[in-house]
Amino acid sequence: MSTDLEERFWIDLRPEAAYVGPARIFGAELARQSGVSEEILDDVKVAVGEALSRALNTKALELRVKAVLRDGRLFFEIPQGDGLESSDSSTDRLMAALSLELITVLFEDGEAATSEEGDPVIRFSVPIPSRA
Amino acid sequence: MAESLLLDTRQSGDWTVVDVRGEVDLYTAPRLKTLLTDLTGSGRNRLAIEFGGVEFMDSTGLGVLISGLKRCREAGGTLALVAPTEPVRKVLGITGLDQVFTIHDDLADVTGS
């Protein structure tokens, strides 16, 4: 059943590594409460966590997880900074590439995109099984 | 904030066993990196990393393991992963790093004891 109704959720935390874990748990718990199947919850944790780590590495001013529940899917959007990713070593650069790779492999619509306000974001969505 | 990563080391023959428990992410991975750097810096370059208690690992953790493997190999040793959990195996598989690391189900397969 299609509906025009949508619910919006978000959390804002200080842009510090210590808050990546709590923000990741928020994303996973939101998915759980929304009815996302258990086998996908670990993937949500990974994707949210990677997007948050990229946010810090690109000097985001805040650690934010936004989600919208609409038309049977939960749409995540994690704002990124516009600073350069840390590239102290070849390993750091490799990990930055793997970070986005993980998100796009886990969720086929995962992407580095631009928000309606023109800011860099990571987006992906998760299906919500119908509760018929 | 509660401690989300627990680290312990012990010796088993030629191998130094590192027991890792909890979550390895941007916040906690530097502690694991420091430990692995200290171990290799003190000449212990045969490392068995027990991952059976790791519930979550992100790309930062992967980077720490790759750095550790490089340092071990440069010193003529190696780094093996033991009993990674399913979420960790999935991350290793997606990134192709399951082909880079030696992965064992049992510590005895690594240390021979």
Side-chain angles (χ1 to χ4, degrees):
Chain A
M1 184 176 71
S2 179
T3 172
D4 291 335
L5 291 176
E6 65 177 33
E7 291 182 83
R8 292 175 178 270
F9 310 88
W10 69 91
I11 188 170
D12 286 328
L13 295 166
R14 287 211 303 269
E16 297 173 8
Y19 294 105
V20 167
R24 184 173 66 230
I25 290 170
F26 167 81
E29 193 55 33
L30 176 60
R32 185 197 306 275
Q33 296 289 332
S34 300
V36 170
S37 56
E38 287 289 326
E39 59 265 32
I40 302 179
L41 291 178
D42 281 338
D43 296 348
V44 173
K45 278 178 72 174
V46 170
V48 171
E50 294 295 342
L52 291 166
S53 294
R54 284 177 60 89
L56 288 185
N57 287 334
T58 54
K59 301 176 173 49
L61 297 177
E62 59 196 347
L63 211 52
R64 173 178 291 181
V65 178
K66 294 167 63 179
V68 177
L69 185 57
R70 183 181 64 231
D71 294 335
R73 296 188 76 84
L74 186 61
F75 294 85
F76 281 96
E77 186 174 286
I78 291 97
Q80 306 290 289
D82 53 13
L84 294 174
E85 288 193 59
S86 62
S87 55
D88 296 341
S89 68
S90 58
T91 302
D92 286 345
R93 290 192 293 275
L94 172 64
M95 289 311 107
L98 288 180
S99 185
L100 184 58
E101 176 77 4
L102 275 167
I103 296 169
T104 56
V105 168
L106 290 172
F107 298 99
E108 61 182 22
D109 63 351
E111 61 175 352
T114 304
S115 71
E116 292 175 1
E117 295 79 23
D119 299 318
V121 295
I122 295 287
R123 285 192 189 122
F124 66 94
S125 71
V126 191
I128 309 290
S130 64
R131 299 176 185 179
Chain B
M1 195 166 291
E3 200 62 67
S4 54
L5 180 68
L6 298 174
L7 301 171
D8 192 26
T9 60
R10 65 184 187 279
Q11 206 62 27
S12 178
D14 292 340
W15 289 84
T16 300
V17 180
V18 180
D19 186 17
V20 185
R21 294 177 183 276
E23 300 188 332
V24 186
D25 65 8
L26 190 69
Y27 181 52
T28 61
R31 286 181 47 222
L32 178 59
K33 183 174 186 175
T34 298
L35 175 61
L36 297 185
T37 302
D38 288 349
L39 289 171
T40 51
S42 63
R44 284 181 276 185
N45 52 44
R46 290 164 69 84
L47 303 181
I49 315 292
E50 284 199 293
F51 254 68
V54 175
E55 304 138 19
F56 176 87
M57 182 174 69
D58 69 6
S59 59
T60 317
L62 292 175
V64 169
L65 294 179
I66 289 174
S67 296
L69 177 62
K70 281 168 61 178
R71 279 194 297 275
C72 286
R73 284 183 174 168
E74 284 165 4
T78 191
L79 181 152
L81 300 182
V82 181
T85 55
E86 198 51 45
V88 172
R89 282 182 187 271
K90 189 167 188 176
V91 168
L92 289 167
I94 289 173
T95 55
L97 293 176
D98 56 346
Q99 303 301 309
V100 173
F101 292 103
T102 305
I103 300 174
H104 296 275
D105 290 332
D106 199 311
L107 182 62
D109 296 338
V110 182
T111 63
S113 59

